[in-house]
Amino acid sequence: MKSIVIEAAGEMAVTHDRPMPELKPNEVLVKIEYVGFCGSDLNTFRGLNPMVKLPVIPGHEIGGTIASIGSDVPEGLFTEGMHVTVNPYTNCGKCSSCRNGRVNACRNNATLGVQRNGAMCEYIAMPWEKIIPAPGISTRDCALIEPMSVGFHAVDRAQVSDNDTVMVIGCGMIGMGAIVRASLRGATVIAVDLDDEKLDVATAMGAAYTINTSKDDAHTLIQEITDGDGPSVVIEAVGAPATYIQAFDEVAFAGRVVCIGYAKKEVPLRTQLFVQKELNIYGSRNALPADFRAVIRYMSTGKCPVERLISMIVEPDTALNAMKTWVADPGKVFRILVKF
């Protein structure tokens, strides 16, 4: 079976020696058609992902069809040929997160393509509970569901409503998901990024205002938009010290900050703001099944500008060149999809 393997930092290869998965009674066999390269895959390729052990098969943003169904899978849930995506996280059922129903934050989580081999191969077998039907959505577009669901989850963490002004810092795929869900809930959304093209897409996804921090006086514009209050919710979807500092500086008094981005360096935050502003600070990790379903409902409306979210589609044999292109200019890429 053909698969893509990141063997070491900067080294990726296509292999043909991976055996077909053996389907267990409680599993579903998925024929992989599209898999997205995400930020964690980029960091793995660059040697900057501390959670991964190399070599690894990357990929957890999945679009495929059901090839076979195990004997113990409940009847009527799935049919062969059904378009699906996959919940790529594990949950142990025993840790405090799992016991409280927040299985997305399982202490012992192993995400496909990070802590275990991923989906950049021709077939993958998964427990039936992790298979998410996506009727009416192409397998190509199914590969966009997981990253958008992470942004959807961040908005849910902040309990965003139509009374809120939400600033989303970072207009990658996860940030775009946050923009969509916040706007769907009636909030006024301010999108912040360094790239005009991404900000244009953010407008198409529902942002009422855009700020390019490479050109604009962001603080002045934010104050003007919010009548001097600052946004009631700030979602940090970059993971850089500067954007974390910006989030806490700009959020309104009694506001909420949601942290999605993994900062690669120590962040010198002014912690007095936590107290002075009496902030609610939320971490947001992965997504829940309800977030996946919400993305599927949104994509089923046909309002998602999916063509603008896909930077390129490549074959496995050209995936290495695509990854090198992303490394050279990471700010210009939304999603690279690998077609199997």
Side-chain angles (χ1 to χ4, degrees):
M1 185 174 67
K2 182 183 293 186
S3 60
I4 294 173
V5 181
I6 299 177
E7 299 175 323
E11 298 180 15
M12 189 162 66
V14 177
T15 68
H16 296 81
D17 57 358
R18 184 170 174 80
M20 279 283 293
E22 294 184 8
L23 187 64
K24 297 176 182 177
N26 69 325
E27 290 183 337
V28 172
L29 183 68
V30 176
K31 181 182 184 298
I32 300 298
E33 296 195 7
Y34 293 88
V35 187
F37 274 127
C38 77
S40 62
D41 299 323
L42 175 65
N43 285 327
T44 297
F45 182 76
R46 296 168 68 192
L48 300 176
N49 190 342
M51 294 183 290
V52 73
K53 183 178 179 181
L54 298 176
V56 69
I57 296 173
H60 58 257
E61 301 174 358
I62 299 165
T65 57
I66 292 179
S68 185
I69 302 168
S71 58
D72 290 348
V73 176
E75 292 185 9
L77 290 181
F78 309 107
T79 57
E80 291 185 8
M82 177 184 283
H83 289 194
V84 296
T85 190
V86 172
N87 183 330
Y89 326 119
T90 62
N91 50 285
C92 68
K94 300 177 182 179
C95 71
S96 58
S97 293
C98 288
R99 294 198 309 271
N100 285 304
R102 288 165 60 182
V103 294
N104 60 298
C106 174
R107 181 174 182 173
N108 302 301
N109 170 64
T111 299
L112 289 172
V114 185
Q115 294 94 345
R116 55 182 172 146
N117 279 328
M120 285 206 177
C121 51
E122 294 179 274
Y123 290 87
I124 188 169
M126 295 289 291
W128 68 265
E129 297 93 339
K130 299 297 182 180
I131 306 300
I132 302 174
I137 299 176
S138 70
T139 54
R140 182 199 68 174
D141 295 350
C142 282
L144 304 177
I145 293 171
E146 190 275 342
M148 290 190 68
S149 73
V150 177
F152 270 48
H153 183 69
V155 171
D156 198 54
R157 290 282 288 147
Q159 298 180 326
V160 169
S161 76
D162 56 355
N163 289 322
D164 286 311
T165 297
V166 179
M167 182 169 78
V168 178
I169 307 175
C171 295
M173 278 295 298
I174 291 172
M176 290 299 180
I179 289 167
V180 169
R181 196 171 212 185
S183 63
L184 287 174
R185 291 188 174 191
T188 299
V189 180
I190 307 168
V192 178
D193 203 274
L194 296 167
D195 185 80
D196 283 334
E197 183 180 353
K198 287 186 174 180
L199 291 171
D200 286 343
V201 179
T203 299
M205 304 290 273
Y209 302 93
T210 60
I211 296 174
N212 186 326
T213 52
S214 70
K215 303 176 181 179
D216 302 327
D217 182 343
H219 175 72
T220 298
L221 289 175
I222 291 164
Q223 290 292 295
E224 290 175 356
I225 293 166
T226 62
D227 295 325
D229 287 333
S232 53
V233 177
V234 177
I235 296 175
E236 201 288 333
V238 177
T243 49
Y244 263 96
I245 291 168
Q246 182 184 33
F248 289 99
D249 283 349
E250 299 295 352
V251 70
F253 277 67
R256 292 100 81 196
V257 177
V258 185
C259 307
I260 310 176
Y262 276 93
K264 311 300 186 297
K265 300 178 182 178
E266 295 295 321
V267 182
L269 293 174
R270 293 194 294 151
T271 55
Q272 67 267 32
L273 294 177
F274 301 0
V275 178
Q276 290 172 354
K277 294 186 176 184
E278 198 176 53
L279 300 177
N280 287 350
I281 302 169
Y282 300 91
S284 185
R285 183 184 182 191
N286 300 332
L288 287 164
D291 301 309
F292 282 82
R293 293 194 296 270
V295 173
I296 291 169
R297 283 196 300 272
Y298 162 66
M299 294 187 73
S300 296
T301 67
K303 296 178 180 179
C304 181
V306 289
E307 300 291 344
R308 301 184 70 180
L309 298 176
I310 300 170
S311 301
M312 65 181 84
I313 298 175
V314 299
E315 303 289 335
D317 291 338
T318 58
L320 175 59
N321 289 335
M323 183 64 84
K324 288 180 177 178
T325 298
W326 195 7
V327 170
D329 195 357
K332 288 293 184 182
V333 172
F334 278 111
R335 268 305 174 270
I336 297 171
L337 299 185
V338 180
K339 181 180 180 179
F340 279 86

